[in-house]
């Protein structure tokens, strides 16, 4: 009987605590994606940011900016937040193709996604 009472007590505490595991898991995924993406940027030498394996592919900078653009767009659609770069093509903006700018935009996109996810109702 003691075990049953303890189990009921523990479960009642679990049931009255708000569960945001979905939100928490999504935030953790975005945090992990941010860390890995920024590590890629940090590892790439500045003079290789315009590297293209073939002429018809995106450069490293364009690919990272494409990732940021997708993160902004999808996060805005999911959260209802206004995309700060709506209507812009980040990967084609030559002023954003330096290592510092790519890192800034990529970090901003993940921070935008994390904030939007935290604001969502599970």
């Amino acid at each position: 009987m003691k075990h049953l009472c303890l189990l009921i007590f523990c479960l009642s505490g679990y049931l009255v605590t708000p569960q945001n595991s979905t939100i928490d898991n999504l935030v953790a995924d975005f945090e992990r994606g941010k860390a890995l993406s920024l590590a890629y940027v940090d590892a790439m030498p500045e003079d290789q940011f315009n590297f293209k394996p073939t002429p018809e592919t995106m450069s490293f900078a364009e690919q990272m900016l494409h990732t940021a653009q997708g993160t902004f767009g999808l996060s805005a659609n999911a959260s209802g937040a206004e995309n700060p770069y709506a209507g812009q093509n980040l990967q084609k903006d030559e002023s954003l193709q330096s290592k510092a700018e790519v890192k800034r935009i990529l970090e901003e996109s993940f921070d935008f996604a994390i904030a939007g996810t935290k604001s969502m109702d599970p």
Side-chain angles (χ1 to χ4, degrees):
M1 184 65 173
K2 287 181 185 180
H3 294 298
L4 180 60
C5 289
L6 180 61
L7 178 64
I8 291 171
F9 177 75
C10 289
L11 286 176
S12 66
Y14 176 78
L15 294 174
V16 298
T17 304
Q19 300 300 308
N20 290 323
S21 64
T22 301
I23 298 295
D24 293 341
N25 289 338
L26 286 170
V27 168
D29 287 343
F30 278 121
E31 291 284 0
R32 185 173 44 259
K34 176 182 174 182
L36 290 171
S37 297
L38 293 175
Y40 290 141
V41 171
D42 287 338
M44 179 61 87
E46 176 89 37
D47 65 343
Q48 294 297 308
F49 263 65
N50 290 320
F51 172 75
K52 291 183 174 192
T54 63
E56 55 278 339
T57 60
M58 288 185 267
S59 69
F60 181 82
E62 289 171 331
Q63 184 61 55
M64 292 294 108
L65 292 168
H66 177 76
T67 299
Q69 182 123 27
T71 302
F72 278 120
L74 293 172
S75 298
N77 289 342
S79 68
E82 186 176 337
N83 180 347
Y85 295 98
Q88 291 182 267
N89 188 341
L90 298 178
Q91 72 193 48
K92 296 299 180 192
D93 186 339
E94 290 184 20
S95 71
L96 300 177
Q97 302 213 0
S98 69
K99 185 171 187 168
E101 283 299 295
V102 167
K103 187 172 182 175
R104 181 186 67 79
I105 293 288
L106 196 58
E107 188 167 16
E108 184 182 342
S109 73
F110 279 102
D111 290 343
F112 178 80
I114 291 164
T117 300
K118 287 180 176 179
S119 74
M120 296 167 111
D121 181 359

